[in-house]
Amino acid sequence: MITLENIHKSYGPVQVLRGVTLEVARGETVSIIGASGSGKSTLLKCANLLEQPDRGRIILDGTALTDPGVNVDRARARIGMVFQHFNLFPHMSVLGNVTVGLRSVRGLPRQQAEEIAQARLAEVGLAHLAGQRPARLSGGQQQRVAIARALAMEPAVMMFDEATSALDPELVKDVLAIMRDLAGSGMTMLVVTHEMAFAREASQRVVFMDRGVIAESGTPAQIFEAPEHERLRRFLAQIL
Ligand code: ADP
Ligand code: MG
C-alpha cells in the first residue's frame, strides 16, 4: 500500500535519515520503535511530504508522491496522521473538527460531511460530545477525535506518531484499544510507538530505527524474543 524507498533527509549538516526503505502491505500494521532522535518522526513526515525528502521515493497505492506533477494535497489527504499533540482546532466544535477536512478538501456539502463525522465519532465512542469544544474533553477523548477526523477522510494508510505519549496513564488504554481495533479491522497502519505491548500484539512487523537507518526489522517474536542487533538489545533492556 505504501513504499518508502531509500529516503534520505538532512537538516543542515545533520543527516537524520540515511537511506530508509520500508514497505507496508495493504492491511498490515507496522510498528516503528527506537530511541529519541533516531529519525522516527522525520520518517513519518517525509512519508506524507510534510517534509520533502532529499532523496528517495514515496509510493502510495501505486502513485509515486515524490514524482513531479503529482497533486501533493490530494495524495496527502489519503494518509491519515495522528500526532502526539492532537492538533485540534480549539475554536471549533468536535463535529467541526471532523467535518472541516471533508468540506474543504473533499468538497462535501455540510449535511453529508456531518453524517460521516457523526458515524466516525460514534466509532470512537464520542458521538455524544459532537457539540463540545475540544478544551472540554480529556486528552484521551481529544486524541480519539483526532483519530475520527483522520478516519473520516477514508485514508489508504493511517500513521500514528507517539499517539499516546502525551496522555495520562489511565487514558492511554482507550486510545490503544481503538488503535488495536483499527489494526484488526484491516486498516494499513504505520505506528511510531513506545508502547511495546501494542507493537508486540497488534502489529505484524516491528522496525527498529537507529541513527537514521532501520537497524533491524522482523516479526514481534523476532524483535522482542531474539533481537540480534546490540543496540536493539540495549534499547529493549532500557524500555521494558
Ligand atoms: P525521533 O522522532 O526518533 O525522536 P526525530 O525524527 O524527531 O526523531 O529527530 C531526529 C533528529 O533530527 C534529531 O536529532 C532532531 O533534533 C533532528 N531534527 C528533527 N527535525 C528537525 C528540524 N526541523 N530541524 C533541525 N533538526 C531537526
Ligand atoms: Mg518523534
Side-chain angles (χ1 to χ4, degrees), residues 158-237:
M158 284 284 285
M159 297 188 185
F160 296 82
D161 191 355
E162 295 192 29
T164 59
S165 293
L167 300 178
D168 291 335
E170 74 273 19
L171 302 176
V172 167
K173 74 177 189 315
D174 289 345
V175 172
L176 284 178
I178 286 167
M179 292 171 64
R180 282 173 192 266
D181 285 351
L182 203 52
S185 77
M187 176 61 76
T188 305
M189 308 207 329
L190 190 52
V191 181
V192 171
T193 188
H194 288 302
E195 294 287 338
M196 294 301 128
F198 177 91
R200 189 192 288 252
E201 293 154 21
S203 45
Q204 283 83 54
R205 202 145 48 90
V206 180
V207 162
F208 172 62
M209 280 192 68
D210 183 46
R211 294 171 293 184
V213 296
I214 293 177
E216 191 164 336
S217 75
T219 64
Q222 287 169 331
I223 293 294
F224 292 109
E225 276 137 50
E228 289 180 358
H229 202 287
E230 173 56 29
R231 290 179 69 95
L232 171 56
R233 282 196 214 128
R234 236 182 301 152
F235 174 75
L236 292 175

Side-chain angles (χ1 to χ4, degrees), residues 66-108:
T66 35
D67 279 359
V70 168
N71 182 332
V72 170
D73 287 334
R74 194 180 308 159
R76 191 186 285 132
R78 301 201 59 213
I79 302 177
M81 292 290 299
V82 178
F83 301 97
Q84 184 175 350
H85 302 286
F86 331 116
N87 302 347
L88 300 177
F89 293 116
H91 61 288
M92 288 182 187
S93 68
V94 163
L95 189 69
N97 270 280
V98 183
T99 53
V100 64
L102 290 167
R103 300 191 65 195
S104 65
V105 179
R106 300 257 307 269
L108 296 184

